[in-house]
Amino acid sequence: MKIKVDERGYYGNFGGAYIPEMLYPNVEELRDNYEAITSDPDFKKQFDQLLKDYVGRPTPLYLAERLSEHYGAKIYLKREDLCHTGAHKVNNTIGQILLAQRLGKKKIIAETGAGQHGVATTTVCALMGVECIVYMGEVDMARQKPNVERMRILGAEVRPASSGSKTLKDATNEAMRHWINNPTDTHYIIGSVVGPHPYPEMVARFQSVISAEIRTQLKEKEGTELPNYVVACVGGGSNAAGAFYNYYDDEAVALVAVEAAGLGNTTGKSAATTTLGKPGILHGSKTLLMQTEDGQVVEPYSISAGLDYPGIGPVHAHLFETGRGTFYSVTDEEAMKAGIQLSRLEGIIPAIETSHAFAALKQMNLKSDDIVVINLSGRGDKDLETYIKWGKY
Amino acid sequence: MTNRREIVSKVEMNRIEKLFQTKSSRVLNVYFTAGYPKLDDTVSILKALETSGADLIEIGIPFSDPVADGPTIQASNDVALSNGMTLKLLMEQLKDVRQEVSVPIVLMGYINPIVQYGIERFCADCAECGVDGLILPDLPMHEYLEVYKPVFEKNGLLNTFLITPQTSEARIREIDNNTSGFIYMVSSASTTGAKTGISEAQEAYFKRVNEMGLKNPRLIGFGISNKETFDKACENANGAIIGSAFIKVLGQEGDMESNIKTFIDQVIN
Ligand SMILES: Cc1ncc(COP(=O)(O)O)c(C=O)c1O
């Protein structure tokens, strides 16, 4: 099966560009230009150079021996937590800032949930000397305080989104409204594989460096490019899309996506979109969406700000619908325990988003000769307060 | 039921078309959010608007995430939803509206609630209630042409697309070809209610589009809030749309009907 986006931005039944006319010229400009710009040798050279010298790529593929022993399989960690700024998000923001410059845009806006995308955006704006405004839900500003201050230190303005659930969905609404009001000089750096076409595919391509590196590194270590499983957490789905991208067509590789089940999928406090959602339209694309019978978007819940989103990227909705992806969901409690476990077994404190991916290992019935690659999407520095509050360590 | 629908679509001329045949200037279209300020206000607002002299009325279907709207209409959406407004309930409220109100009615809404309701059922119910047209701002043109248009037409519903100051001339032509009823000219690059007054640049845009000789009538919306802005908009279009400013009127203290009358009076006289 080919997982491929079509001309209008659909992955099977999901995707597209459902936007009000006010956004049309901006999105059209991006759609008409991004492939030419990003395939230009100069762009590629600058992108690769920055990923290498500034971000620190390639990130290691690390055999986690104690974790492997614990789960009875060979588990590798793709160390996106070692990227500059502490998560995979920067792969995308480097790509988009270079694109924005070539489109002649002078200002940048972004939305952020955990603050990782906000920090990654602010960082590249500082690097390029570009003005930057980041929208962040009020609830998220409170639970990810260090990242708010990091963004401010880096020179960005952080604007609280105080509508709705005051989390990632609402920050995205506010960023879109800002873009409507500032259509000509501003580029909107979306932080995940969501939004109207071409964003989902564009962001996935910038993140696809993750799986490109995994293939090379695994070949060196195991003599094969193909693990049995690639595992990643899914908020909007950018780290997962990056980790899966170069494996879409390798049916032997199981693509495992892990969503946040919050307090549990039957409690009304969850963000597990494939379990609780149905097809719908939000933020410019048709995808799986948590919503009421009347089509109102349901406010999700997760302990992790980066997974607290009522939708998923359209490519993941497609992976789910076609069965190419395997989807698990794990609760706050399971994720927190998995985060502590990784800290104790490997000396790596993961971001709470990432902890969700680790918590799925025990649901997977692994065999001793299985090779598993987990995308360690980010580090836990930003989450210390949440770990401390949770307290069970 | 089906019989009545056929009569609506085949025998009677669409009320929007009829309106523009008899009136081609200073057409006043007023927007309000269904379920605001109170759940059951829909029909009384419609009646008060008609008596006050509104030519066309746009009822907003509330949505949890109205990305094209500014704070005023966002807040009306939130209130309407917490009052318990749903699309199903709106259809029930509008069931007998044609016995009391004869101005053309347009429903405006983000696409998701309509998709969940089911497009066939939605259009059939619209026709049943005597709704004349639809504005679905986040419906892509290709999807309209391939999926929605036949269903709209079967039910006698006209379709309005939006244009903005940034819309290219080629796209304005394309929109003109695929719009029926009227074109919604967004007055500036903004969300609803964001700007006040009309600048020279906006006027230049109104004139530019006016001189394109489009097939459809044009109504200018966003930032139209009083007599001054209404008059200005009407110089280069067939009329204008008032949204946020009217939502503020609905939120005022005192008797709603007389507030509506006072406001509309001030705008058109
Ligand atoms: C470390 C980390 N992982 C994962 C995510 C979730 O985003 P995505 O699903 O786009 O990778 C975030 C989002 O903030 C994050 O910070």
Side-chain angles (χ1 to χ4, degrees), chain A residues 18 21 169 173 291 296-297, chain B residues 64-66 69 112 143 171:
Chain A
Y18 296 81
E21 191 62 28
K169 156 179 100 76
N173 289 341
Q291 55 186 314
Q296 308 299 339
V297 181
Chain B
S64 52
D65 296 84
D69 288 298
N112 194 52
E143 192 155 333
R171 186 161 167 89

Side-chain angles (χ1 to χ4, degrees), chain A residues 195-258:
Chain A
H197 176 62
Y199 277 105
E201 182 62 19
M202 184 174 79
V203 175
R205 286 186 195 176
F206 290 142
Q207 292 292 359
S208 68
V209 62
I210 299 172
S211 47
E213 288 176 5
I214 295 173
R215 289 190 81 113
T216 318
Q217 292 166 323
L218 200 64
K219 176 89 185 168
E220 261 167 39
K221 292 176 196 290
E222 293 288 338
T224 171
E225 296 179 12
L226 308 182
N228 300 88
Y229 299 93
V230 179
V231 186
C233 66
V234 176
S238 67
N239 88 84
F244 297 168
Y245 198 91
N246 292 290
Y247 288 114
Y248 284 150
D249 299 334
D250 296 299
E251 302 267 352
V253 181
L255 307 177
V256 178
V258 186

Side-chain angles (χ1 to χ4, degrees), chain A residues 313-357:
Chain A
V315 71
H316 295 294
H318 182 57
L319 292 172
F320 178 75
E321 191 181 67
T322 56
R324 177 67 187 95
T326 307
F327 285 72
Y328 293 101
S329 64
V330 306
T331 62
D332 286 358
E333 182 81 10
E334 291 168 318
M336 295 306 287
K337 282 185 182 153
I340 302 296
Q341 181 186 56
L342 185 70
S343 307
R344 299 287 161 83
L345 288 177
E346 298 292 343
I348 299 169
I349 305 175
I352 294 172
E353 289 78 13
T354 314
S355 301
H356 286 71

Side-chain angles (χ1 to χ4, degrees), chain A residues 29-30 33-34 37 98-105 184 187:
Chain A
E29 178 183 35
L30 207 55
N33 293 295
Y34 92 97
I37 291 175
L98 296 178
L99 180 71
Q101 287 183 321
R102 282 160 176 79
L103 289 170
K105 304 290 178 176
T184 46
H187 175 69

Side-chain angles (χ1 to χ4, degrees), chain A residues 87-89 114 116 192 233-239 306-307 351 353-354 377-378 382:
Chain A
H88 69 291
K89 296 282 181 187
Q116 282 309 116
S192 193
C233 66
V234 176
S238 67
N239 88 84
L307 305 184
E353 289 78 13
T354 314
S377 59
K382 69 181 176 64

